[in-house]
Amino acid sequence: MQKRRLFSLAAAALAAALSVNAHAEKKDQFSVCWTIYAGWMPWGYASSSGIIDKWADKYGIEIDVVQLNDYVESINQYTAGEFDGCGMTNMDALTIPAAGGVDSTALIVGDYSNGNDGLVIKGEGKTLADLKGRPINLVELSVSHYFLARALESAGMSERDLKVVNTSDADMIAAFATPDVQAVATWNPMLAEIAAQPDVSLVYDSSKIPGEILDMMVVNTETLADNPDFGKALVGAWFETMALMQAGTPESTAALTEMAKASGTDLEGYKAQLAATELFYTPADALAFVTDPALPDTMARVAQFSFDHGILGEGAASPEVIGMQFPGNTVIGDEGNVMLRFDPSYVQMAADGKL
């Protein structure tokens, strides 16, 4: 089991300084990282198929797309300045890079989990109430922890009613196979494999909280500001891949099959995961979500959870300690400490055909 690494205030300041020095410059080579998840498999395919290279070549740059095995570690590496961008959820973007002092931009909000995150219990447990007094394994202080809190809230329960056991996503399936692990909160593809085992029950999933667990490509704000072509190439490659996925052609089937294989399932299995993922296949769909007034409210809820669990940085005095900027220059939190930005301008270029 891997404990989630949280930066101390001093370490965060150092990471932020190193990140700014490393990124705040014009350059022509970039790298982004991602981990296995239904909504991020397109990044792997865009890389292996040459779509990323095509868009990078258009702007005279190089983009290396790197798959990592551990989700939280991928965000830690991005926060430390080892990558220019990383696939991560909205909460993790707030509590790791933003809380660590690294100004970050949600370049692409690709989807929200609409059933891809779930809570599974072994044996006789059939409802959330059956969690009472039991341990539950999850990636502590990650979006799975937030998901658990929302699930318990719906049942009139709280974390005081059970015991949270921190478990790396890379270890989740193996942990569930042991007799000591009775319940887990996790995401696909681990969720699908666990839920398919005999004598287990899926008692809650993220379709109950639509629009709250967002899957994004987050990039360093300084890097993006100094290198707008980096943003244009990523957005262009993403939406070309999205268009291919829903084209209904033999090429589309081949692409989906490759994504399925890379995620450890078959085509039907991957399609099932996509059915539980509200992917924004077009720039217009992505824009509609990001510009919806509900997004700041969602992030305020996420910030409150994060503050309550002590993951907004050492000494955080309130949920508003980190500023978050949204379309129309709306800011919630500290306007003097904006560290997470939802910037739709590059997706708008895609929608306007200007990439």
Side-chain angles (χ1 to χ4, degrees):
M1 297 182 185
Q2 178 173 333
K3 192 72 177 175
R4 181 181 189 221
R5 287 191 300 168
L6 295 177
F7 291 164
S8 69
L9 197 59
L14 176 59
L18 291 173
S19 179
V20 169
N21 289 336
H23 290 287
E25 59 184 11
K26 186 75 174 175
K27 59 182 189 174
D28 57 15
Q29 293 184 321
F30 306 88
S31 62
V32 300
C33 59
W34 66 283
T35 50
I36 296 291
Y37 177 71
W40 290 322
M41 299 313 299
W43 287 114
Y45 179 79
S47 177
S48 65
S49 67
I51 292 175
I52 285 283
D53 288 344
K54 167 189 165 183
W55 281 89
D57 289 346
K58 178 176 180 178
Y59 293 103
I61 61 177
E62 295 180 15
I63 301 176
D64 189 20
V65 177
V66 180
Q67 179 192 340
L68 297 181
N69 292 325
D70 187 283
Y71 170 64
V72 173
E73 180 61 23
S74 72
I75 308 174
N76 286 332
Q77 289 192 31
Y78 160 78
T79 303
E82 295 177 38
F83 291 95
D84 301 297
C86 180
M88 66 185 78
T89 69
N90 49 327
M91 191 188 104
D92 296 320
L94 175 66
T95 61
I96 305 181
V102 178
D103 194 330
S104 297
T105 294
L107 179 70
I108 303 168
V109 177
D111 69 81
Y112 65 77
S113 177
N114 199 27
N116 259 329
D117 292 75
L119 200 160
V120 173
I121 305 178
K122 279 181 183 174
E124 297 180 358
K126 305 295 182 184
T127 69
L128 286 169
D130 293 320
L131 283 171
K132 194 162 187 177
R134 295 193 183 197
I136 181 167
N137 292 61
L138 50 77
V139 180
E140 191 176 10
L141 306 179
S142 76
V143 71
S144 287
H145 203 155
Y146 171 83
F147 166 72
L148 171 66
R150 295 286 283 128
L152 294 173
E153 180 183 320
S154 75
M157 299 168 64
S158 74
E159 290 179 52
R160 290 188 298 272
D161 295 313
L162 45 76
K163 178 184 178 183
V164 170
V165 180
N166 184 57
T167 308
S168 166
D169 57 305
D171 297 331
M172 196 67 67
I173 292 173
F176 193 73
T178 65
D180 290 342
V181 177
Q182 302 176 38
V184 300
T186 190
W187 58 86
N188 277 322
M190 293 86 70
L191 175 64
E193 184 169 340
I194 290 170
Q197 296 181 27
D199 200 29
V200 302
S201 299
L202 178 67
V203 298
Y204 194 85
D205 68 45
S206 53
S207 67
K208 305 293 196 302
I209 51 169
E212 293 191 32
I213 300 176
L214 312 181
D215 304 306
M216 316 189 301
M217 174 52 70
V218 174
V219 300
N220 183 282
T221 299
E222 293 279 355
T223 299
L224 184 63
D226 290 342
N227 302 276
D229 287 347
F230 170 54
K232 293 176 184 178
L234 284 179
V235 170
W238 177 258
F239 285 110
E240 178 173 334
T241 307
M242 291 294 101
L244 175 62
M245 289 173 67
Q246 64 170 177
T249 62
E251 291 79 11
S252 175
T253 300
L256 291 169
T257 300
E258 185 173 323
M259 293 180 209
K261 182 179 179 180
S263 65
T265 187
D266 57 17
L267 180 58
E268 292 309 309
Y270 185 54
K271 284 183 175 180
Q273 293 177 28
L274 288 177
T277 309
E278 191 64 28
L279 267 172
F280 304 128
Y281 284 103
T282 68
D285 289 342
L287 281 172
F289 184 85
V290 173
T291 57
D292 191 309
L295 181 57
D297 293 338
T298 294
M299 291 308 300
R301 179 193 290 271
V302 169
Q304 182 66 57
F305 169 88
S306 302
F307 174 71
D308 291 343
H309 287 74
I311 49 176
L312 287 184
E314 292 182 15
S318 78
E320 291 78 36
V321 66
I322 299 170
M324 292 180 275
Q325 185 177 59
F326 301 87
N329 289 322
T330 297
V331 175
I332 64 172
D334 186 350
E335 294 185 359
N337 186 40
V338 174
M339 286 289 157
L340 182 58
R341 306 165 194 270
F342 290 82
D343 179 2
S345 60
Y346 289 83
V347 175
Q348 184 70 63
M349 292 180 204
D352 294 340
K354 294 183 178 178
L355 289 180

